[in-house]
């Protein structure tokens, strides 16, 4: 039966309409400021004038400057709007630098003239961090797309920040290597954007954090200084590891223009297995055993709950039987991937692992994919969950992390809380509520479909989910960053002394605050430390830091 | 023949006398300031008086304060002197805090009273970073040795910074995990010291950098603020990843008091193989193939040159036959380790890998260890190389990194340079010069034994090795840090804008400069940025930054 699953391209991310309707009114995404009316443009920033445009045209050339006084014009609205159509700004200017020197000239000029900027990579982020809020100048990195160097012995690649992740993967694959991150958006996202977001992705459990894999960065600071730290060394203990500050800082400290990254050996064999289980307890047991039995080859360990099955079979693949069919769905499912250097060894390990799960009654059933097509189908199935949810109504999604034993408790507690209020069910406020995620990383995606486009429904869920997460020492953003979408919730995961030091470093490195303003730091607490006038009282006034 | 190799404990680090004689004069290590006469005590710092001592006794208790006005007294000289007897300061005071609150009280007081401090872990560092230069107060972390929490599902351990690495490894091993770093000094070094140094170690090629494995830190800042960022989350993208700043900052920004670290699954099987090769070209070929064929299980790839064989067989194990015997030694040797979850799979992979090396004439010969005793013997053999060198005369050692293809060229060029000057050979200035290291990490240890205790011999070698390394975009400190031993050479590996930003951050976080002064930053360039009066013209005036 498993072979009957249809193959669906993993490229759906680029062409589907996940959540794209939520913020759209009259054919245009609503302006971000209509959602966050407390956000005011920082009056210290200059507005664009013809003299500025002339400068940029002189430095970059006519073809590298897109300028239109109407930010809704076709030439420019695309860059003002995030991929999910949730956030939109009103910039009139997009710059396309071709090299690091041009980025340096742009920033130096903007800093001297107090012009705010927002760096933009592939614009596939999900927290609205890569689009302007007001009239920030968009610095689009797509023309900086050169592969500078690949070392065949070490697998270290040095590239421009605007290289698309998939192109980088293809380039290193010619030498037997692979990029250590893999995302649904790999055909569009830039490696520089991945680094600025500190993207996680599907194989994090195996290849780990960009903090470990990135060896060096070339960064242009707000004053135009080029921080040339593009080391190709695996080990270098000469002073502070400054590149780390820019990994995950979402373009608020400088613009990453060059990247040196260690790429691991490309796997010779990939195996995938799907198992059905009765409880989240069993998921944890299966995970612990996978680490013991498959430690050297385990490359992904995903899970989802029963309702996810319904979502995909009702909305995405009606009539197609789920690969692991039984009279009724199991309570939980896990998708395990192995990547190794010898297929027969990996298969033997995976099979005896699965046998032991069934013998010990941890798993109820399981299948192993037989070929690349089945493998891709199973992954595609997993990736259809979010899209399926959006077909019930405007969908709200979370990206939280916590200690693994707590992961699913959040879903159960959320469900119980809103059921008690009579708000969950068909025709109710929250039509559907599901949980899925990356067990190995302690990363949960909880997702709700609502019956109407109502910001208050999001706010109620935000409050419950983030308060619960903070109470259990979790993170309100595991891998997507803060951007604009979670600016009010940053203090839920970071205490005052930590926020203090972040603000100090921001003020030190970007004293005029031109780098991606209104992101990460746009809350009262941090802004006051920066001496900014912006306030977000509605987001922070009634909420206490975890201090 | 291989089984004839005697077993030698890996614990020799703790009891042997590697290089311990080099700085010793009249029974005491020479004071650091006699080696660096340009270093002057910073006159902004207060000197200790009775009022200070009373305060510390009141806060910590009588038994946690060791005070002796004579810094050469038996009570205190041990803490003033580094493990290698190369550096010695003149502190009169050692404090032993028991918890984070006490560390906070100490630093707050020291900051207010402008008293300089030096944090000290297990004092096993090799760059002199953990001992005072003048009268800095020594803050000894050995009483902060609690295992706070171990999560059995995730393998995440939260511990005090003063826990000895081997004790941490033992604690997590009870749950099937292992620490991701392994060092000769594991029986003495503290995990907090490992983090402050960003220690690398033997299995870096498999488990990677502490920047990837450390999940959170609790750090006391110079003003006494406790930066509680002891996350147990694998993924957390809420603002800047501040902990990264403290990894490798050698105690110059604050004191690490607590550590959250991800520990990998303990391997069920370990295999070790020794091969003989004709050229460094072949070493590289063997390494690339090991990554392809053993990628999922390769845990170490060490190499050494022919002369290392002589060193160990002449000075350490006379009469014992080297495991890979042939009429004459091969030009190079490589030691490969695998760690995996199933012994028979690992052995099959390793054997077919070795066969392919022999078939393709890449390796000339090879053995695989048959049991744990042989494995330990081979590792012990590798670890005897540095000790053997010290038996020829005062030894000088380097810890540089560069692109892998260049590694051994440095050894050859160094040898050629000093041979041309007639300075290498028995009875000459440099009695012996060898190269060995971690191929997978691009990390070379070049080592010379000299015929007399003469600082000029070190300086000549320093200049040649570091200039060559800088010219080839390498690092003058791959894993040992800058400490005091390389303060003049920091600009060889970092350009001015990078040093500028380091200095800015140092000034921001430690504005009074009390944290481990005279380390990392004690060179003219950075000190002037800090507004300090210290100068090291002799080290920096004649040397240009790579800018």
């Amino acid at each position: 039966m498993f072979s009957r699953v249809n193959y669906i391209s993993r490229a759906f991310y680029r062409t589907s309409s996940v959540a794209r309707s939520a913020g759209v009114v009259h054919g245009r995404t609503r302006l971000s400021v209509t959602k966050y009316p407390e956000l005011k443009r920082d009056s210290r920033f200059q507005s664009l004038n013809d003299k500025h445009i002339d400068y940029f045209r002189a430095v970059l050339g006519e073809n590298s400057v897109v300028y239109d006084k109407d930010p809704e014009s076709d030439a420019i609205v695309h860059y003002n709007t995030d991929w999910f159509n949730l956030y939109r700004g009103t910039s009139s200017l997009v710059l396309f630098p071709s090299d690091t020197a041009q980025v340096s000239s742009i920033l130096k000029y903007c800093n001297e003239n107090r012009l705010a900027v927002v760096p933009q990579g592939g614009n596939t982020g999900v927290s609205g961090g890569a689009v302007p809020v007001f009239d920030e100048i968009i610095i689009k990195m797509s023309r900086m797309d050169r592969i500078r160097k690949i070392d065949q012995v070490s697998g270290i690649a040095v590239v421009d920040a605007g290289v698309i992740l998939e192109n980088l993967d293809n380039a290193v694959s010619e030498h037997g290597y692979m990029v250590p991150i893999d995302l649904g958006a790999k055909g569009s996202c830039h490696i520089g954007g991945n680094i600025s977001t500190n993207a996680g992705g599907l194989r994090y459990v195996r290849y780990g954090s960009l903090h470990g894999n990135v060896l060096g960065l070339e960064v242009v600071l707000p004053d135009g200084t080029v921080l040339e730290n593009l080391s190709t060394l695996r080990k270098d203990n000469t002073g502070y590891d400054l590149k780390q500050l820019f990994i995950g800082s979402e373009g608020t400290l400088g613009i990453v223009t060059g990247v040196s990254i260690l790429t691991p050996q490309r796997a010779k064999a990939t195996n995938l297995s799907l198992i059905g289980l009765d409880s989240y307890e069993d998921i944890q047991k299966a995970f612990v055993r996978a680490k013991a039995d498959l430690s050297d080859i385990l490359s992904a360990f995903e899970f989802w709950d029963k309702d996810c099955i319904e979502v995909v079979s009702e909305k995405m693949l009606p009539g197609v039987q789920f690969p692991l069919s039984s009279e009724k769905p199991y309570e939980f499912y896990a998708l395990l991937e192995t990547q190794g250097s010898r297929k027969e060894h990996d298969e033997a390990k995976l099979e005896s692992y699965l046998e032991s799960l069934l013998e010990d009654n941890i798993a109820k059933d399981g299948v192993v994919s037989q070929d690349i097509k089945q493998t891709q189908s199973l992954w595609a199935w997993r990736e259809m969950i979010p899209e399926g949810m959006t077909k019930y109504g405007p969908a709200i999604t979370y990206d939280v992390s916590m200690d693994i034993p707590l992961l699913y408790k959040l879903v159960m507690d959320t469900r119980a809380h809103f059921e008690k209020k009579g708000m969950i069910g068909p025709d109710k406020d929250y039509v559907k509520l599901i949980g899925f995620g990356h067990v190995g990383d302690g990363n949960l995606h909880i997702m709700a479909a609502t019956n109407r486009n109502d910001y208050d429904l999001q706010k109620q869920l935000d409050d419950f989910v983030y308060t619960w997460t903070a109470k259990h020492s979790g993170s309100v953003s595991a891998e997507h960053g803060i951007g604009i979408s979670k600016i009010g919730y940053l203090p839920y995961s970071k205490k005052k002394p930590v926020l203090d030091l972040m603000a100090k470093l921001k003020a030190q490195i970007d004293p005029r605050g031109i780098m991606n303003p209104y992101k990460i730091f746009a809350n009262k607490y941090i802004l006051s430390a920066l001496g900014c006038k912006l306030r977000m009282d509605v987001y922070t006034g009634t909420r206490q830091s975890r201090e």
Side-chain angles (χ1 to χ4, degrees), chain A residues 467-482:
Chain A
T467 303
W468 196 100
T469 301
K471 200 175 135 195
H472 293 86
S473 301
S475 168
V476 298
S477 179
E479 56 180 1
H480 294 164
I482 298 297

Side-chain angles (χ1 to χ4, degrees), chain A residues 36-293:
Chain A
Y36 302 93
E38 302 76 15
L39 272 177
K40 303 290 177 216
R41 184 180 180 282
D42 189 333
S43 60
R44 296 172 310 166
F45 295 135
Q46 270 204 59
S47 296
L48 276 175
N49 61 39
D50 288 347
K51 191 187 56 129
H52 301 141
I53 306 299
D54 290 345
Y55 174 83
F56 292 124
R57 285 188 171 137
V59 168
L60 302 179
E62 196 73 38
N63 292 334
S64 300
V65 176
V66 172
Y67 176 58
D68 195 316
K69 282 184 182 169
D70 175 12
E72 299 208 14
S73 74
D74 287 343
I76 215 156
V77 70
H78 173 66
Y79 303 105
N80 268 313
T81 311
D82 84 313
W83 195 89
F84 290 94
N85 282 333
L86 290 169
Y87 302 100
R88 183 160 67 88
T90 51
S91 182
S92 308
L93 182 62
V94 189
L95 303 177
F96 294 81
S98 300
D99 59 34
T100 304
Q102 289 188 349
V103 175
S104 170
S105 300
I106 293 168
L107 287 192
K108 186 168 189 291
Y109 184 82
C110 289
N111 196 50
E112 283 168 358
N113 291 278
R114 290 190 186 273
L115 293 163
V117 304
V118 53
Q120 187 173 96
N123 195 13
T124 60
V126 298
S127 300
V131 290
V133 177
F134 298 99
D135 59 346
E136 302 94 277
I137 297 169
I138 298 164
I139 303 180
K140 185 77 184 174
M141 298 299 288
S142 48
R143 290 197 191 157
M144 289 193 64
D145 61 351
R146 288 167 308 142
I147 306 283
R148 300 188 193 175
K149 192 171 80 176
I150 296 173
D151 183 315
Q152 302 188 25
V153 178
S154 63
I156 295 165
V158 181
V159 301
D160 281 0
V163 171
I164 288 172
L165 184 61
E166 194 164 61
N167 294 350
L168 175 57
D169 192 48
N170 289 338
V172 299
S173 77
E174 287 174 26
H175 307 284
Y177 296 100
M178 62 183 280
V179 288
I181 49 171
D182 188 16
L183 310 171
K186 72 191 287 185
S188 306
C189 63
H190 294 183
I191 184 67
N194 298 145
I195 285 166
S196 298
T197 314
N198 190 27
L202 300 167
R203 296 192 175 93
Y204 192 94
V205 70
R206 170 70 170 275
Y207 301 105
S209 161
L210 288 170
H211 287 287
N213 294 316
V214 172
L215 300 181
L217 292 179
E218 175 188 88
V219 181
V220 180
L221 299 180
D223 67 359
T225 301
V226 180
L227 204 68
E228 204 284 75
N229 200 6
L230 213 45
S231 167
T232 53
L233 307 170
R234 279 206 72 174
K235 287 178 172 174
D236 177 20
N237 280 352
T238 51
Y240 309 154
D241 194 354
L242 297 181
K243 69 172 180 284
Q244 302 289 354
L245 266 182
F246 300 92
I247 299 175
S249 64
E250 305 186 45
T252 62
L253 295 176
I255 297 187
V256 173
T257 52
V259 175
S260 168
I261 188 167
L262 180 69
T263 66
Q265 196 68 26
R266 204 165 194 88
K268 291 181 180 169
T270 296
N271 287 300
L272 199 66
S273 173
L274 176 72
I275 56 176
L277 312 91
D278 275 350
S279 69
Y280 185 69
E281 277 300 309
D282 286 337
I283 292 270
Q284 291 179 72
K285 284 182 198 161
F287 174 62
V288 169
R289 191 170 294 188
K291 288 207 298 180
D293 293 357

